[in-house]
Amino acid sequence: MKNLFLMLLSALGFCTACSASDGSKVEVLEPKVFIEMANSDTTAVILDVRRPDEFADGHLAEAVNLDWLNEDVFAKGMSRLDKSRTYYIYCRSGRRSNAAAVKMQAEGFKVFDMKGGYLKWTEQGFPTVR
């Protein structure tokens, strides 16, 4: 009986691992890889999901701002995005961008998230614009 119980627990753990790696998880990239991929991708759109005031204080070159915290603005903006493009998403620290990327991926967009967000970007000395 004990062996059967252990086998069941093992099987449940295996199934959980399978569902976690089914491709539904958003790929998170280090800033250097993020920008290299975006620069070599002809369909790339760099999407900053911070508030407009944060965006105005500094952002990645060529980034488009779409405020994740304003649900209506984000929903309307997302409805206007081209699903044939690839979206490279970032925010301040990575929390908002990951949530936005998960939502967008669920809606059929191809997305990548930047690890550590704008804070890690600037800590590593990458350029920003105002």
Side-chain angles (χ1 to χ4, degrees):
M1 188 65 150
K2 184 178 178 181
N3 287 339
L4 179 60
F5 181 71
L6 290 174
M7 284 176 36
L8 285 172
L9 281 177
S10 295
L12 286 173
F14 178 74
C15 290
T16 301
C18 290
S19 66
S21 63
D22 68 356
S24 64
K25 194 171 179 184
V26 170
E27 190 170 351
V28 180
L29 307 172
E30 289 290 333
K32 183 177 183 193
V33 175
F34 177 92
I35 200 60
E36 287 172 349
M37 285 181 62
N39 285 339
S40 66
D41 183 346
T42 59
T43 70
V45 174
I46 299 175
L47 190 62
D48 183 323
V49 296
R50 297 176 300 156
R51 295 184 322 266
D53 61 310
E54 294 174 293
F55 184 81
D57 284 341
H59 55 272
L60 278 64
E62 307 298 321
V64 175
N65 186 227
L66 187 55
D67 184 1
W68 169 252
L69 295 178
N70 186 325
E71 289 181 40
D72 291 336
V73 167
F74 192 83
K76 284 179 188 173
M78 190 173 69
S79 72
R80 294 184 184 119
L81 297 177
D82 181 352
K83 287 187 179 179
S84 70
R85 309 283 303 263
T86 303
Y87 294 88
Y88 293 82
I89 306 171
Y90 74 95
C91 65
R92 181 181 159 278
S93 65
R95 189 169 296 179
R96 286 176 276 178
S97 61
N98 194 262
V102 166
K103 168 87 170 152
M104 289 178 68
Q105 184 172 272
E107 296 290 327
F109 291 92
K110 183 175 180 183
V111 297
F112 293 99
D113 184 21
M114 183 168 66
K115 184 176 184 177
Y118 188 77
L119 291 176
K120 190 167 185 176
W121 178 268
T122 56
E123 283 173 9
Q124 293 185 357
F126 291 107
T128 61
V129 296
R130 287 179 174 241

